[in-house]
Amino acid sequence: AQKITQTQPGMFVQEKEAVTLDCTYDTSDPSYGLFWYKQPSSGEMIFLIYQGSYDQQNATEGRYSLNFQKARKSANLVISASQLGDSAMYFCAMSPDTGRRALTFGSGTRLQVQP
Amino acid sequence: GAGVSQSPSNKVTEKGKDVELRCDPISGHTALYWYRQSLGQGLEFLIYFQGNSAPDKSGLPSDRFSAERTGGSVSTLTIQRTQQEDSAVYLCASSLGGQGKETQYFGPGTRLLVL
């Protein structure tokens, strides 16, 4: 079984500042992927970034980076230079690399970027 | 290219009626997933199709829920005798269906309201 925990229901950040959204996970799968999705008020789930459990380097995608600490079972999302358009719900998720690849999601963090 | 599409975008029905929700995955994606997002339960996996294999129905909450995928492409999720607790956003996602890194791309969802 897999479990994702996001302990920050809501976060505020000033425009142009960096923000870290926390995610911890638990799994018995030896190989897995970790994902972050953004869900704006429109409702669509937008893929942001992926980290494989055996990747040696932390993933980066533009202003998004993933601070992956495997021993601590954490996969925090860092958003640099926040923009007003970053205001949304952010979900951390994981899936095993084999078998049923369904995503297990955390409860989400609502990020509000303030001007 | 075209993303995952879902129809209808909104559906209002009366308790006890049947509803059908449609998902059109990204062309070439062999894996298709249905998820449900509700206020009380967060994001839950419902069912998973991979190629011609038998679907993984382990997430379906009751036998009122069923899904099929015709020709390895379009999928229909059917809810029979709808109940008020079925009110939620139903999200469909697709992925390439290979090994290793597998990113799921989501459609805009169908918002179901059961009166």
Side-chain angles (χ1 to χ4, degrees):
Chain A
Q2 301 182 323
K3 183 176 181 180
I4 296 281
T5 302
Q6 294 180 256
T7 58
Q8 306 155 314
M11 290 279 286
F12 289 89
V13 65
Q14 290 294 123
E15 194 176 7
K16 299 180 184 177
E17 292 187 349
V19 62
T20 297
L21 306 184
D22 294 341
C23 172
T24 58
Y25 63 91
D26 196 15
T27 183
S28 56
D29 294 296
S31 182
Y32 50 89
L34 294 152
F35 303 80
W36 278 92
Y37 286 85
K38 171 184 178 181
Q39 188 176 44
S41 55
S42 60
E44 189 159 357
M45 296 287 282
I46 301 168
F47 167 71
L48 294 179
I49 195 167
Y50 163 89
Q51 178 81 44
S53 59
Y54 285 99
D55 291 344
Q56 294 297 313
Q57 293 191 326
N58 287 343
T60 60
E61 289 285 349
R63 294 187 299 111
Y64 305 108
S65 61
L66 202 153
N67 184 0
F68 179 48
Q69 297 187 46
K70 192 171 182 179
R72 294 187 175 186
K73 294 188 176 181
S74 73
N76 298 338
L77 176 70
V78 180
I79 305 174
S80 62
S82 298
Q83 301 172 356
L84 295 178
D86 294 334
S87 294
M89 281 289 287
Y90 288 80
F91 290 95
C92 180
M94 71 181 305
S95 75
D97 281 347
T98 58
R100 192 187 84 182
R101 310 289 296 274
L103 290 164
T104 299
F105 287 88
S107 55
T109 295
R110 181 170 298 282
L111 176 67
Q112 295 189 54
V113 181
Q114 297 176 320
Chain B
V4 178
S5 61
Q6 292 186 246
S7 61
S9 53
N10 293 279
K11 177 71 177 179
V12 181
T13 190
E14 294 179 348
K15 178 182 173 181
K17 301 279 190 182
D18 297 351
V19 294
E20 285 190 352
L21 313 179
R22 176 188 168 106
C23 172
D24 213 329
I26 293 172
S27 178
H29 281 194
T30 63
L32 187 149
Y33 304 79
W34 283 96
Y35 296 88
R36 177 169 73 173
Q37 185 174 24
S38 57
L39 283 174
Q41 301 296 324
L43 278 149
E44 311 170 88
F45 161 75
L46 296 177
I47 188 167
Y48 162 47
F49 295 90
Q50 172 56 63
N52 296 320
S53 302
D56 180 338
K57 305 178 183 179
S58 58
L60 294 178
S62 78
D63 58 8
R64 296 185 296 104
F65 288 72
S66 63
E68 63 177 18
R69 189 177 185 191
T70 54
S73 182
V74 172
S75 177
T76 302
L77 177 69
T78 301
I79 309 174
Q80 296 179 308
R81 305 180 303 280
T82 52
Q83 303 294 312
Q84 289 180 331
E85 60 263 29
D86 299 334
S87 296
V89 177
Y90 290 82
L91 293 164
C92 176
S94 72
S95 67
L96 282 171
Q99 297 297 312
K101 175 182 177 180
E102 269 285 285
T103 298
Q104 294 180 31
Y105 296 93
F106 285 78
T110 293
R111 287 156 184 77
L112 175 66
L113 178 61
V114 182
L115 300 176

